[in-house]
Structure formats: structure tokens, C-alpha cells
Amino acid sequence: MSQETLQRLAEVLEERKSASPDSSYVAKLYHKGLDGILKKIGEEATETVMAAKDGDKGKIVYETADLWFHCLVLLAQQGLGPDDVLRELDRRFGLSGLEEKARRGTD
């Protein structure tokens, strides 16, 4: 997924915020609120893990796409977008994972 694709998708997700829950899947998710979106992310994360355990590369890609999509819905619902995550990843670039983790002060 290119940055352009992420941006186009973010624009569509933003448009769906004002749509009727009967008109689109995303509008229905927004209508369910944060808990509904988080439940869906949990389901998609579990399906991604199961696909990886099965070793089916096609399923891994498919389920990861679902997981990313639902994470983008969460970001939009929270007034964030893919650029916010990309900036954070860019900030971490060049840092070792151990160093970045130590800066956060968590295990």
C-alpha cells in the first residue's frame, strides 16, 4: 500500500463519518462507537495471528489488510490519520528497537 493509497483511503473514511449507518459498512462501524471499532480490531488481529500460524501467505496478506483497514477506521474515529503513524515510524527510523523501547520506559 503506497502512501497515496493510504491517503485516499483516509479521505473516504473521513467522508463516511457523516454517512448514514445504513449506507456503508464504515458508517455502521462509526455508529457503533469506539467499543465496536475496538472489537473489530481485536477480531482482525486474532484472524491475522491464526493465518500466520497456518502459514498461508495469501491469508496472512488478506487478514493483515483487514487489520490495517480497521486500524485506519480507528485512527479516523479518533481524529488521526495514516500520516500520524507514518511520522511516528519515521521518528523511530534509525533507532534500535531496544533503544526506542528504553526511551518509553516500558518492557
Side-chain angles (χ1 to χ4, degrees):
M1 190 180 278
S2 71
Q3 191 169 351
E4 180 182 311
T5 302
L6 286 172
Q7 189 56 44
R8 284 191 348 249
L9 182 53
E11 290 169 7
V12 170
L13 294 177
E14 196 62 35
E15 291 170 8
R16 296 294 192 269
K17 285 182 176 180
S18 59
S20 164
D22 297 330
S23 68
S24 87
Y25 172 75
V26 172
K28 187 179 289 188
L29 273 178
Y30 287 140
H31 184 73
K32 290 180 179 180
L34 181 60
D35 287 344
I37 295 168
L38 294 176
K39 180 180 176 187
K40 196 63 187 166
I41 289 173
E43 291 171 11
E44 298 303 341
T46 300
E47 291 172 3
T48 301
V49 169
M50 293 172 68
K53 291 288 281 181
D54 291 344
D56 182 330
K57 291 182 180 186
K59 271 175 93 174
I60 293 168
V61 169
Y62 182 87
E63 295 301 344
T64 299
D66 280 352
L67 178 58
W68 285 15
F69 175 83
H70 288 89
C71 287
L72 289 168
V73 171
L74 170 65
L75 289 170
Q77 192 263 352
Q78 294 290 308
L80 300 165
D83 286 343
D84 296 296
V85 176
L86 291 171
R87 274 192 295 279
E88 176 60 16
L89 289 171
D90 190 50
R91 183 192 69 77
R92 295 180 188 186
F93 197 83
L95 275 178
S96 79
L98 296 175
E99 182 181 358
E100 197 281 327
K101 201 170 196 176
R103 287 183 180 186
R104 286 186 277 154
T106 60
D107 296 319

